[in-house]
Amino acid sequence: MKSIRIKDSYGFENISLEEESIPVIKNNEVLVKVEAISLNQLDLMIAKGFFERPLPHTLGSDVAGHVVEVGKDVSDLKIGDKVSTHFIHAWQSGNLNPDILKTRLGMDRAGVFSEYIALPASAFVKIPSHLTYKEGATLPIAALTAWEALVNAGKLEAGQTVLLQGTGGVSIFALQFAKAMGARVIITSGSDHKLERAQLLGADETINYNTDPNWQNKVLALTGGEGVDIALEMSWAEVGKTFEAMKLGGKVVVVGLLGGPRADFSVFDILHKSLYVIGVQVGSKKSFEAMNEFMEIHTIRPVIDREYSLDQTTEAFEYMEKGSHFGKVVVAF
């Protein structure tokens, strides 16, 4: 079987397809034939050496496929089930703890960008019945992060206003979820074309941050000076503007650091507005299953921007790094 690996040194140019043996499962594991994978910013960061994982390293966190073999101690999955991986696979429910955090696929553990993968049955989640493998592969990080940010961290209620940044996977899932929950959505982007697409998905208000560099003022104007209830902070580079755009007692849920890990802002903005600043690390399996049920009820389908074949994996990484995608980028096995 083929696996997508970083072998000798970091960098997209060192991504290669390596031949490996199909894994042998343990009694508590299942063997899954992978049909599709999806890329996240985390995969790009790992491929470029941000976390200094020991090499060689199999890449990837998000895949979907079907069960082809079941260990004798497994009772909740059967051959033929369509599943996706669960990123922090030991996080079944409840609160996150340091030991659970050590089970992040593709980061603390070997990645799953392989034609066959063997993991404990608890590391898989059945994908919504109305989704394809390619759509199911987009769920483990981007969709669940959006869900966790809105539902468990943000406590979103119908009628509240949500601020979203950009049109990557997390933001587009959050747009779809928030609208299905009855929220008002304001979304920003540097592309009018992307903003038009976001409107077609239900965005109530759009702001081009290139033509409106002080976009926080427009957010305030659109909310009658009150600000938004919840903001998903994707960049962190201009988090001070996000703070200004918030309602008194609002929640800033940090889901990314596309602008880098450091920021310059005034703590006064947090104190003055009694803001909650909350970081999320995807979500538990229980949360994942609740999200999938919600997606089935509301027939929500992931937005896939572009599809690549297995031998175009490096091109897929390069395309995603440009930031020109709308929604998710997938590779079909």
Side-chain angles (χ1 to χ4, degrees):
M1 70 170 190
K2 290 183 172 61
S3 294
I4 301 172
R5 309 192 84 191
I6 291 285
K7 189 175 181 182
D8 299 316
S9 59
Y10 290 108
F12 294 165
E13 69 278 9
N14 296 309
I15 296 173
S16 62
L17 296 179
E18 300 291 328
E19 285 290 342
E20 296 184 297
S21 300
I22 295 175
V24 176
I25 64 171
K26 299 175 183 177
N27 291 341
N28 68 329
E29 293 182 334
V30 297
L31 183 68
V32 169
K33 170 65 175 68
V34 172
E35 299 291 345
I37 69 176
S38 75
L39 301 185
N40 296 285
Q41 288 297 327
L42 176 63
D43 301 315
L44 274 62
M45 294 170 73
I46 290 173
K48 292 192 292 186
F50 275 66
F51 300 100
E52 298 183 342
R53 303 308 307 157
L55 297 179
H57 179 69
T58 302
L59 294 169
S61 305
D62 292 12
V63 310
H66 59 276
V67 177
V68 294
E69 188 178 350
V70 177
K72 69 175 186 178
D73 294 338
V74 175
S75 59
D76 54 342
L77 289 174
K78 64 182 185 301
I79 292 174
D81 281 345
K82 296 170 63 176
V83 296
S84 66
T85 44
H86 173 43
F87 174 51
I88 309 177
H89 74 76
W91 191 8
Q92 297 294 291
S93 62
N95 295 325
L96 190 59
N97 66 52
D99 289 333
I100 289 174
L101 197 57
K102 295 175 184 177
T103 65
R104 293 173 292 189
L105 297 175
M107 192 171 177
D108 306 279
R109 302 290 176 89
V112 289
F113 285 179
S114 299
E115 288 185 280
Y116 290 88
I117 55 175
L119 289 169
S122 58
F124 294 100
V125 178
K126 294 179 184 178
I127 67 175
S129 60
H130 67 294
L131 299 188
T132 66
Y133 288 118
K134 293 174 184 176
E135 292 170 329
T138 70
L139 303 179
I141 287 185
L144 187 52
T145 296
W147 178 264
E148 188 77 6
L150 294 175
V151 176
N152 295 324
K155 309 296 183 185
L156 179 63
E157 298 177 2
Q160 290 186 322
T161 301
V162 176
L163 172 63
L164 303 175
Q165 300 172 353
T167 55
V170 175
S171 291
I172 295 305
F173 274 118
L175 168 59
Q176 294 173 287
F177 294 156
K179 291 308 300 178
M181 295 175 194
R184 181 189 184 200
V185 175
I186 302 172
I187 191 167
T188 69
S189 172
S191 165
D192 286 334
H193 175 64
K194 289 183 177 180
L195 291 174
E196 290 171 2
R197 293 185 66 183
Q199 283 183 311
L200 293 176
L201 286 173
D204 298 281
E205 306 287 352
T206 62
I207 303 173
N208 187 317
Y209 52 69
N210 287 327
T211 56
D212 280 297
N214 291 316
W215 49 265
Q216 75 277 22
N217 294 332
K218 189 165 184 180
V219 172
L220 290 171
L222 290 170
T223 57
E226 288 191 355
V228 300
D229 298 278
I230 301 170
L232 270 62
E233 179 59 43
M234 292 296 303
S235 172
W236 198 241
E238 294 188 319
V239 70
K241 293 182 178 180
T242 304
F243 293 157
E244 291 181 51
M246 300 304 298
K247 181 182 288 188
L248 183 67
K251 301 181 182 72
V252 179
V253 187
V254 182
V255 297
L257 37 79
L258 295 179
R262 301 185 183 278
D264 183 19
F265 59 87
S266 171
V267 177
F268 176 77
D269 293 330
I270 300 175
L271 295 172
H272 179 64
K273 291 194 173 183
S274 299
L275 299 179
Y276 297 85
V277 181
I278 310 163
V280 299
Q281 290 214 42
V282 197
S284 68
K285 182 174 179 178
K286 182 178 180 180
S287 183
F288 200 159
E289 291 171 337
M291 179 193 76
N292 284 350
E293 182 179 359
F294 182 88
M295 292 184 71
E296 287 208 46
I297 292 171
H298 295 275
T299 59
I300 293 173
R301 305 195 80 102
V303 176
I304 296 175
D305 177 271
R306 190 169 293 190
E307 302 175 7
Y308 289 86
S309 61
L310 186 57
D311 60 0
Q312 295 175 312
T313 300
T314 300
E315 289 92 325
F317 273 77
E318 292 171 341
Y319 173 71
M320 186 164 177
E321 187 178 40
K322 293 176 182 176
S324 54
H325 56 288
F326 182 95
K328 293 293 292 179
V329 176
V330 303
V331 176
F333 268 56

